[in-house]
């Protein structure tokens, strides 16, 4: 163990049963875990060690580096839970994983629940409406998020008073650990989907206790009775089974007993994760080693919070011995120094004194400011090409929002630069991209819109979902009535009057007035930029098509705003824009089943990602986009201390991915509004 640092040696040789290892970015976390495991196995060969990670990749790495030792098992919490419930809970169960499966489950297996008299008015309306397709997926996600945030449906009864007490007790827990903002956002999405108005906290509590929780509990029981479970249920059902054993005072023994539990990336644990780990630890009376970094707690949208790694004694009721790794092996000294300047501004953290292992090299750190977003984008593309072509190095392009990466996906495709993406291809594979493509074809022709064009515009502006059968009917009616641009207003009113069941709710007076104005602006737009801007501001349906997801509980992320950033370069060349846009769509489709690697001609050295998706990775150069106040941090976070610190942790994670160079890009102007430099730039002295 001569290659261990002093702090690593202290951790590896510790005899404490409950250990917290705080491992800042680049400080050899995985290496330390492996050495600790080897040390335990050397001194106690019969001990059984169970290691939990949050990704299969991390599990595979640890398993391989432990030489597949039979005394060590490595799993994700999901995979362990799945194996447990298949063996002990639902032996012939069917997992529901695809959107199609989830929708079928809600609209069929769960129909007896939402069709009950006590639920029919609130939930039946939703799932029998035109919007059921859009809402069903969101609704099942909310069910899973309630489990993830620590609610246990078996704890609720038919006694309203008992339910209220149970609910309020859990809400106090949520407030204490710092998940109040997360819970409020989740609740608002639920109330919005159901059309429920609550003006104060008491009304919200009454709705949750009297309406939502009984429905949610019945749905959980129904799914279990039907032998169905979701991906999140892998942990949830396993946890319930373990909880029953804990409450009975049972213990595990024999060959199945676990002596030590290791949890990697502990700062990413949700309340459900904690419950599962805690119950497993109690049943085995096992030692517990938690490893992570409170400064890298960035997954609040998953129910994670730094509270758990900051206060493990309160969570597990045990006293933990803390060790802190203090030597960074990834980044040069100036990256480490500046990242420490930055994160030291957070108050809710453990103080760490980290230094660089390599004290001789310095990273190239630049703050690059341009007049416009378009100019910034052009220079980022050139920076990427120079890094890849000249130096052959890896480069990560990181943004705060998914949509900010859309221009780079289009332009890198145009430049034939191979790249990887995290999960940011979604837009090019959505109906929103298809709709955008179709209506831009209308502008490309530069002629009077056809009947088919008019129908596309009507569908694009409609807030309500227009089904294929309705679209086919519209096509027939438009043809029969010789509908043209000049008479479309009259035609829509006539159709609504003649076919009230199909179209009256769609073609209201308000909709028709709005549509005529939007269509007029769209047809008069004389270049690509103005056309996209019109679509962004005026067409209701397109905005609806790209609604926020549960992964973005707090901040809106409209994609067209980012496409505007480079659209002006096309002038009125609609054909050129469509050519590049369609190439990006084709590339996205090609990459869908290829592990996100775009192009097969050569290995990609460019990685496009949000900062949320890059933790645990490292690159030669890191490019961070739009380092402006309002983006880093988001403006919505500036009135909430916890949210502000969460944004600073995210920026810290982004900057600490770099091994050689860190380039921070911004434009002085964004959509014709002036911008200012992010305060994080000054806090970390990245401008010096």
């Amino acid at each position: 163990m001569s290659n261990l640092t002093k702090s690593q040696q202290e951790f590896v040789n510790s005899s404490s049963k409950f250990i917290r290892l705080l491992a800042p970015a680049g400080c050899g976390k995985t290496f330390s875990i492996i050495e600790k495991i080897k040390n335990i196995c050397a001194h106690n060969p019969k001990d059984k060690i169970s290691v939990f990670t949050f990704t299969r990749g991390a599990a595979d790495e640890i398993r391989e580096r432990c030489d597949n030792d039979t005394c060590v098992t490595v799993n994700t919490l999901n995979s362990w839970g799945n194996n447990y419930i298949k063996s002990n809970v639902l032996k012939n169960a069917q997992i529901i994983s695809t959107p199609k499966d989830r929708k079928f489950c809600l609209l069929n297996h769960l129909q007896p629940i939402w069709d009950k008299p006590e639920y029919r008015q609130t939930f039946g309306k939703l799932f029998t409406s035109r919007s059921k397709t859009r809402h069903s997926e969101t609704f099942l996600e909310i069910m899973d998020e309630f489990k993830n945030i620590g609610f246990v449906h078996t704890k609720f009864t038919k006694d309203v008073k008992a339910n209220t007490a149970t609910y309020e007790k859990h809400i106090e827990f949520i407030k204490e650990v710092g998940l109040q903002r997360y819970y409020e956002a989740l609740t608002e999405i639920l109330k919005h989907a159901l059309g429920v108005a609550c003006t104060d906290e008491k009304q919200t509590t009454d709705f949750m206790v009297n309406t939502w929780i009984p429905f949610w509990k019945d749905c959980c029981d129904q799914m279990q009775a039907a032998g169905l479970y979701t991906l999140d249920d892998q942990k949830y059902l396993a946890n319930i089974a373990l909880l029953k054993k804990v409450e009975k005072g049972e213990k595990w023994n024999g060959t199945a007993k676990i002596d030590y539990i290791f949890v990697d990336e502990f700062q990413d644990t949700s309340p459900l994760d904690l419950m599962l780990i805690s119950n497993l630890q109690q049943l085995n009376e096992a030692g517990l080693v938690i490893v992570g970094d409170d400064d890298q707690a960035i997954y609040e949208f998953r129910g994670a919070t730094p509270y758990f790694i900051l206060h493990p004694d309160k969570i597990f009721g045990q006293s933990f011995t803390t060790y802190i790794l203090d030597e960074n092996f990834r980044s040069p000294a100036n990256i480490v120094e500046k990242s420490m300047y930055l994160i030291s501004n957070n108050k809710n953290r453990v103080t760490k004194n980290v230094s660089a292992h390599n004290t001789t090299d310095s990273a190239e750190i630049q703050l690059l400011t341009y007049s416009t977003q378009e100019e910034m984008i052009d220079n980022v593309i050139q920076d990427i090409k120079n890094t890849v072509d000249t130096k052959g190095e890896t480069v990560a392009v990181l943004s705060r929002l998914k949509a900010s990466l859309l221009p780079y996906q289009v332009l890198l495709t145009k430049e034939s630069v191979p790249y990887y993406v995290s999960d940011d291809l979604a837009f090019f594979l959505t109906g929103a991209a298809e709709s955008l493509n179709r209506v831009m074809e209308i502008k490309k022709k530069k002629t009077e819109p056809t009947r088919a064009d008019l129908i596309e515009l009507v569908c694009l502006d409609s807030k309500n979902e227009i089904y294929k059968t309705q679209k086919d009917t519209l096509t027939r009616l438009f043809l029969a009535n010789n509908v043209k641009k000049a008479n479309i207003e009259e035609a829509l009113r006539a159709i609504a009057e003649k076919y009230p069941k199909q179209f009256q709710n769609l073609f209201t007076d308000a909709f028709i007035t709005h549509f005529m104005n939007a269509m007029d602006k769209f047809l008069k737009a004389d270049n690509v930029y103005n056309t996209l801007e019109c679509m962004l501001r005026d067409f209701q349906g397109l905005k609806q098509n790209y609604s926020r997801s549960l992964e973005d509980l707090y901040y809106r992320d409209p994609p067209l705003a980012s496409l505007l950033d480079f659209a002006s370069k096309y002038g009125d060349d609609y054909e050129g824009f469509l050519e590049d846009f369609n190439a990006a769509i084709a590339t996205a489709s090609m990459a869908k089943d290829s592990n996100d690697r775009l192009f097969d001609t050569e290995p990609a050295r460019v990685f496009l990602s949000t900062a949320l998706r890059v933790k645990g990775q490292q690159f030669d150069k890191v490019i961070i986009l739009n380092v402006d106040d309002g983006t880093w941090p988001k403006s919505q976070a500036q009135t909430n201390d916890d949210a502000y610190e969460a944004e600073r942790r995210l920026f810290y994670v982004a900057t600490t991915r770099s091994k050689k160079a860190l380039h921070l890009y911004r434009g002085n102007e964004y959509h014709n509004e002036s911008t200012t430099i992010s305060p994080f730039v000054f806090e970390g002295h990245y401008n010096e």
Side-chain angles (χ1 to χ4, degrees):
M1 289 190 266
S2 60
N3 55 344
L4 295 175
T5 66
K6 182 181 177 182
S7 57
Q8 289 174 330
Q9 286 179 348
E10 290 174 347
F11 164 67
V12 169
N13 295 326
S14 175
S15 59
S16 299
K17 189 174 180 179
F18 294 90
I19 298 175
R20 176 180 66 169
L21 177 65
L22 297 178
C27 286
K29 170 178 66 73
T30 303
F31 175 73
S32 301
I33 292 173
I34 302 298
E35 292 302 310
K36 179 66 176 177
I37 291 172
K38 289 180 178 178
N39 190 50
I40 293 174
C41 292
H43 289 86
N44 301 286
K46 294 183 179 181
D47 281 357
K48 299 294 184 180
I49 301 172
S50 187
V51 183
F52 292 106
T53 69
F54 278 81
T55 66
R56 284 179 292 180
D60 291 340
E61 181 184 2
I62 292 176
R63 193 180 296 112
E64 183 178 345
R65 291 171 67 176
C66 285
D67 300 323
N68 293 306
D69 195 318
T70 55
C71 74
V72 182
T73 59
V74 189
N75 293 284
T76 64
L77 285 167
N78 273 343
S79 65
W80 187 92
N82 190 50
N83 291 333
Y84 186 81
I85 63 176
K86 280 189 172 181
S87 301
N88 301 276
V89 183
L90 298 172
K91 295 184 179 180
N92 297 313
Q94 175 187 348
I95 191 165
I96 298 178
S97 56
T98 67
K100 183 178 179 181
D101 288 340
R102 291 167 69 86
K103 179 182 164 186
F104 185 87
C105 172
L106 181 65
L107 301 182
N108 291 275
H109 293 292
L110 296 183
Q111 181 174 349
I113 304 301
W114 53 258
D115 209 30
K116 285 184 176 181
E118 61 264 40
Y119 305 134
R120 189 179 296 135
Q121 184 174 1
T122 304
F123 299 97
K125 275 185 183 178
L126 176 67
F127 301 129
T128 55
S129 69
R130 287 193 178 97
S131 57
K132 65 183 179 183
T133 301
R134 187 174 70 249
H135 284 307
S136 60
E137 181 70 13
T138 299
F139 212 72
L140 278 174
E141 285 180 359
I142 292 173
M143 290 183 183
D144 282 340
E145 290 303 316
F146 259 73
K147 302 165 186 174
N148 193 50
I149 206 170
F151 285 92
V152 179
H153 78 277
T154 55
K155 295 290 186 181
F156 294 92
T157 68
K158 293 183 179 181
D159 184 348
V160 174
K161 288 185 178 179
N163 279 352
T164 301
T166 303
Y167 170 82
E168 290 181 339
K169 182 179 180 181
H170 195 77
I171 295 302
E172 286 302 312
F173 164 77
I174 287 172
K175 290 179 179 177
E176 182 183 352
V177 303
L179 289 174
Q180 179 71 6
R181 188 170 72 105
Y182 170 89
Y183 177 74
E184 288 175 350
L186 189 66
T187 306
E188 285 304 310
I189 291 176
L190 173 64
K191 291 189 293 186
H192 176 74
L194 295 173
V196 175
C198 298
T199 59
D200 55 36
E201 189 173 349
K202 184 180 183 306
Q203 287 185 344
T204 298
T205 298
D206 289 344
F207 162 69
M208 298 301 289
V209 170
N210 298 323
T211 304
W212 166 250
I213 286 180
F215 175 78
W216 170 70
K217 173 178 166 53
D218 281 355
C219 285
C220 290
D221 289 338
Q222 175 75 3
M223 287 186 66
Q224 194 163 352
L228 302 172
Y229 66 106
T230 66
L231 291 172
D232 291 274
D233 279 338
Q234 295 173 109
K235 293 182 293 187
Y236 181 70
L237 295 179
N239 176 63
I240 289 176
L242 296 184
L243 182 60
K244 290 179 180 177
K245 292 179 178 291
V246 170
E247 292 175 340
K248 292 178 182 178
E250 296 182 15
K251 300 295 180 185
W252 282 0
N253 50 47
T255 57
K257 186 178 184 302
I258 302 170
D259 297 285
Y260 281 93
I261 296 172
F262 282 68
V263 185
D264 190 18
E265 301 290 1
F266 189 79
Q267 77 282 343
D268 298 338
T269 52
S270 68
L272 174 57
D273 297 327
L274 283 175
M275 293 164 63
L276 182 61
I277 294 164
S278 178
N279 288 327
L280 193 59
Q281 185 275 324
Q282 289 182 67
L283 287 168
N284 287 274
E285 299 178 302
L288 180 60
V289 181
I290 59 174
V291 183
D293 182 14
D294 52 292
D295 291 331
Q296 298 185 73
I298 60 174
Y299 294 143
E300 187 188 354
F301 70 92
R302 295 179 185 169
T305 165
Y307 182 95
F308 301 140
I309 195 168
L310 290 173
H311 304 285
D313 52 333
K314 295 182 180 179
I315 300 299
F316 296 101
Q318 302 287 344
S319 179
F320 280 72
T321 303
T322 295
Y323 299 94
I324 302 175
L325 301 183
D326 55 10
E327 197 167 333
N328 184 300
F329 295 89
R330 174 188 300 158
S331 304
N334 57 341
I335 291 282
V336 176
E337 183 182 29
K338 292 177 183 296
S339 68
M340 288 293 103
Y341 284 146
L342 170 73
I343 203 62
S344 64
N345 286 274
N346 274 9
K347 296 178 181 178
N348 189 30
R349 65 184 294 266
V350 175
T351 301
K352 309 172 189 71
N353 296 308
V354 182
S355 59
H357 179 75
N358 182 355
T359 59
T360 57
D361 294 342
S362 290
E364 177 194 337
I365 300 177
Q366 293 189 41
L367 173 64
L368 301 159
T369 300
Y370 298 92
S371 300
T372 65
Q373 286 289 306
E374 183 181 350
E375 188 181 353
M376 183 196 79
I377 291 170
D378 286 342
N379 279 275
V380 170
I381 294 295
Q382 192 59 50
D383 192 353
I384 294 170
K385 291 179 67 177
N386 289 342
T387 303
V388 173
D389 295 341
T390 306
K391 299 180 179 179
E393 294 178 344
T394 58
V395 55
V397 182
L398 307 181
S399 72
R400 178 64 186 85
L401 297 173
K402 293 180 183 179
S404 301
L405 295 166
L406 295 182
Y408 301 95
Q409 291 175 235
V410 175
L411 295 175
L412 288 174
T413 302
K414 182 179 181 178
E415 296 288 339
S416 299
V417 177
Y419 62 88
Y420 292 84
V421 295
S422 53
D423 64 342
D424 304 303
L425 281 175
F427 175 74
F428 290 104
L429 300 176
T430 65
E434 294 176 7
S435 298
L436 174 60
N437 197 10
R438 286 196 297 268
V439 295
M440 291 299 280
E441 286 284 350
I442 298 172
K443 297 294 294 186
K444 173 185 170 182
K445 293 185 294 187
K446 299 181 180 180
T447 58
E448 187 79 0
T450 65
R451 294 187 187 90
D453 296 338
L454 294 173
I455 291 171
E456 287 293 345
L457 293 174
V458 169
C459 294
L460 189 70
D461 196 38
S462 178
K463 284 184 178 180
N464 297 314
E465 188 173 358
I466 295 181
Y467 294 109
K468 184 179 183 304
T469 54
Q470 291 175 302
K471 193 172 179 179
D472 291 342
T473 302
L474 273 181
T475 302
R476 177 172 56 80
L477 292 173
F478 271 44
L479 181 64
N481 292 276
N482 194 27
V483 175
K484 300 179 181 178
K485 176 191 168 188
N487 68 342
I488 189 171
E489 180 175 359
E490 179 185 347
L492 291 175
R493 296 187 188 280
I495 289 170
E497 184 178 349
K498 191 172 182 179
Y499 303 92
K501 288 186 178 180
Q502 288 176 280
F503 297 109
Q504 195 172 53
N505 291 332
L506 290 173
F507 302 151
T508 61
D509 287 341
F511 168 78
I512 293 172
T513 300
H514 182 276
F515 169 72
M516 294 303 296
N517 290 330
M519 182 184 68
D520 187 58
K521 291 179 183 177
F522 172 79
L523 294 176
K524 287 181 179 178
D526 56 359
N527 56 53
V528 173
Y529 181 94
N530 290 339
T531 302
L532 286 173
E533 187 177 40
C534 169
M535 295 173 71
L536 173 64
R537 292 182 178 179
D538 297 308
F539 283 86
Q540 303 175 85
L542 187 62
K543 291 188 282 186
Q544 197 81 8
N545 203 341
Y546 196 82
S547 60
R548 72 179 182 181
S549 68
L550 288 179
E551 285 200 359
D552 192 16
L553 290 173
Y554 318 114
Y555 313 125
R556 293 184 63 194
D557 186 9
L560 295 187
S562 293
L563 290 176
L564 282 171
D565 294 339
F566 77 114
S568 56
K569 70 169 53 250
Y570 292 93
D572 64 352
D573 184 10
Y574 290 96
E575 187 171 352
F577 173 82
L578 276 169
E579 184 178 339
D580 293 345
F581 191 78
N582 282 320
I585 292 176
T587 302
S589 302
M590 180 177 68
K592 187 177 179 182
D593 301 314
S594 63
N595 198 30
D596 286 338
R597 193 182 89 174
L598 310 190
F599 306 97
D600 294 323
T601 55
E602 58 181 290
R605 297 183 179 274
V606 183
F607 184 64
L608 306 182
S609 177
T610 60
L612 282 168
R613 295 289 182 268
V614 80
K615 189 161 67 67
Q617 302 185 65
Q618 58 185 13
F619 306 88
D620 294 318
K621 175 181 286 185
V622 170
I623 293 173
I624 302 180
L625 304 174
N626 302 111
V627 287
D628 302 309
D629 195 7
T631 300
W632 302 92
K634 294 296 295 176
S635 55
Q636 299 95 324
Q638 297 180 8
T639 57
N640 183 295
D641 291 343
D642 289 340
Y644 200 93
E645 290 203 353
E647 292 286 297
R648 186 181 284 116
R649 289 194 297 270
L650 187 60
F651 195 76
Y652 167 80
V653 167
T655 60
T656 54
R657 302 306 96 193
S658 171
K659 295 193 294 182
K660 294 181 179 181
L662 175 65
H663 288 184
L664 310 177
Y665 278 85
R666 60 178 300 274
N668 280 326
E669 205 175 79
Y670 186 68
H671 298 321
N672 300 317
E673 293 185 5
S674 298
T675 62
T676 56
I677 300 175
S678 165
F680 298 157
V681 172
F682 300 109
E683 290 177 357
H685 304 285
Y686 295 108
N687 57 317
E688 299 175 0

